[in-house]
Amino acid sequence: MDLKVENLSFSYDNVVVLNKVTFEAKQGRITGIIGPNGSGKTTLLRCIANFLKHDQGAVFFDDKDIRLLKNKEIAKFLSVVPQLTNLTTGFTVFETILMGRYPHLGLLQRESKEDYEIVNSTLERVGISHLAKRDVGELSGGEKQLVTIALALAQEPQILCLDEPTLHLDINMQYMIMDLCKETSRDKQIVVIVVLHDLALAAQYCDDLLILKNGKVKAMGSPDEVIVEKFILDTYGVEVIVGQDEISGMKYILPNIGSKTTIT
Ligand code: ADP
């Protein structure tokens, strides 16, 4: 099942922030949203999750118009990892991740054995079983980010939205989180949508990329199609050199401050 965003427009106090955004994010793939600061990436993610009510257009998942659903209904199939973690101190990591099961519980229904098993397997999947009994308030920034992702995964979403999940994290942690996104999209065949600033990381991990500029879709395509010097100049106003490592095939992006001919 794919997510379809059709002609979505949104304004803050009459200032248009998203202007007729249309794209599809497919299951089993990672769709990256890139673009300059202020181009509307976070707003788009928040509209998709129905945290913000868009003015025009629609967001469909499995032919359901998300805006017409109640938040608890949406939380059964869509989870969001926000830019800033807002975990409540005083709860252990286990208890926090268990909260991810709440959308699936009925009124006054207690968590079942299956919910506990899902939390344990999520802790293992994210590699944080050793933190289970720690208070979330005591954790490092990177550990908190992993708990936030585990909380989102414990919801067992069919759409996982992440807003700059690698922000402020070291390179090891960045790869770990992006690997987790990739594995999850493939293994669970879910839609993963991720806002990223790091273009090399976006090129390496995303299957499809949406470039936003001034609230409009500037381009949509594979990393090979959109992570190119011309698009980066048009979008960010900066000259770069996009190269490819011969062995791994991975892209790198360098500022074009020297002679272009020295790098092949
Ligand atoms: P990005 O994620 O690409 O950096 P945002 O979606 O955060 O962009 O912001 C898009 C535009 O909306 C910016 O011009 C920003 O200043 C504006 N904006 C964001 N949040 C609000 C808000 N709560 N009220 C008014 N304007 C906002």
Side-chain angles (χ1 to χ4, degrees):
M1 284 182 284
D2 303 333
L3 178 90
K4 289 185 188 144
V5 174
E6 287 180 7
N7 278 315
L8 188 142
S9 296
F10 177 83
S11 309
Y12 282 115
D13 305 325
N14 294 327
V15 178
V16 178
V17 172
L18 295 171
N19 193 345
K20 296 189 177 161
V21 172
T22 295
F23 74 99
E24 266 185 57
K26 296 190 185 307
Q27 69 172 100
R29 296 172 75 81
I30 302 184
T31 300
I33 304 177
I34 56 175
N37 288 329
S39 56
K41 303 181 294 297
T42 295
T43 305
L44 176 57
L45 220 57
R46 293 174 70 80
C47 284
I48 290 172
N50 212 28
F51 295 163
L52 292 173
K53 300 279 180 198
H54 46 274
D55 309 325
Q56 279 172 19
V59 179
F60 292 106
F61 181 63
D62 187 23
D63 293 328
K64 287 189 287 265
D65 183 340
I66 288 186
R67 192 162 56 165
L68 303 180
L69 302 175
K70 294 202 172 86
N71 284 343
K72 190 168 177 185
E73 285 302 307
I74 297 172
K76 283 181 187 163
F77 64 86
L78 184 149
S79 61
V80 178
V81 175
Q83 212 174 86
L84 296 171
T85 53
N86 51 358
L87 301 173
T88 314
T89 54
F91 288 98
T92 66
V93 167
F94 189 96
E95 288 162 346
T96 302
I97 297 172
L98 190 59
M99 291 175 202
R101 299 303 304 155
Y102 289 176
H104 298 281
L105 302 181
L107 195 66
L108 303 178
Q109 190 187 346
R110 295 292 309 265
E111 305 89 7
S112 66
K113 192 165 163 255
E114 193 198 347
D115 294 311
Y116 282 84
E117 281 166 8
I118 290 170
V119 173
N120 278 322
S121 66
T122 308
L123 282 164
E124 230 167 86
R125 188 178 181 89
V126 181
I128 52 171
S129 299
H130 60 289
L131 300 177
K133 292 184 181 154
R134 296 268 305 274
D135 186 310
V136 290
E138 298 168 357
L139 305 179
S140 72
E143 288 168 338
K144 279 185 184 155
Q145 186 65 324
L146 291 177
V147 173
T148 309
I149 292 173
L151 171 62
L153 291 178
Q155 258 174 266
E156 298 201 305
Q158 289 167 283
I159 307 170
L160 174 64
C161 298
L162 306 103
D163 193 355
E164 296 193 43
T166 57
L167 202 68
H168 307 311
L169 298 182
D170 68 40
I171 190 163
N172 184 352
M173 204 71 129
Q174 291 182 18
Y175 290 148
M176 195 178 148
I177 284 175
M178 292 311 296
D179 281 336
L180 192 61
C181 288
K182 191 152 201 156
E183 276 166 31
T184 308
S185 72
R186 303 294 193 265
D187 296 353
K188 308 269 180 191
Q189 282 295 300
I190 66 168
V191 173
V192 175
I193 303 176
V194 56
V195 171
L196 285 173
H197 262 301
D198 184 327
L199 299 182
L201 211 57
Q204 189 180 336
Y205 282 97
C206 296
D207 302 293
D208 305 298
L209 285 173
L210 175 80
I211 304 189
L212 275 189
K213 186 175 184 188
N214 296 331
K216 289 187 181 165
V217 175
K218 183 157 182 63
M220 173 98 203
S222 68
D224 279 342
E225 287 165 330
V226 301
I227 303 288
V228 292
E229 291 160 8
K230 180 189 170 303
F231 267 131
I232 294 174
L233 178 61
D234 286 354
T235 309
Y236 295 89
V238 61
E239 280 195 43
V240 296
I241 296 162
V242 176
Q244 200 158 14
D245 178 66
E246 277 180 21
I247 299 168
S248 65
M250 273 158 45
K251 281 187 191 297
Y252 54 78
I253 296 153
L254 302 173
N256 187 2
I257 48 177
S259 161
K260 200 172 166 179
T261 53
T262 58
I263 298 176
T264 54

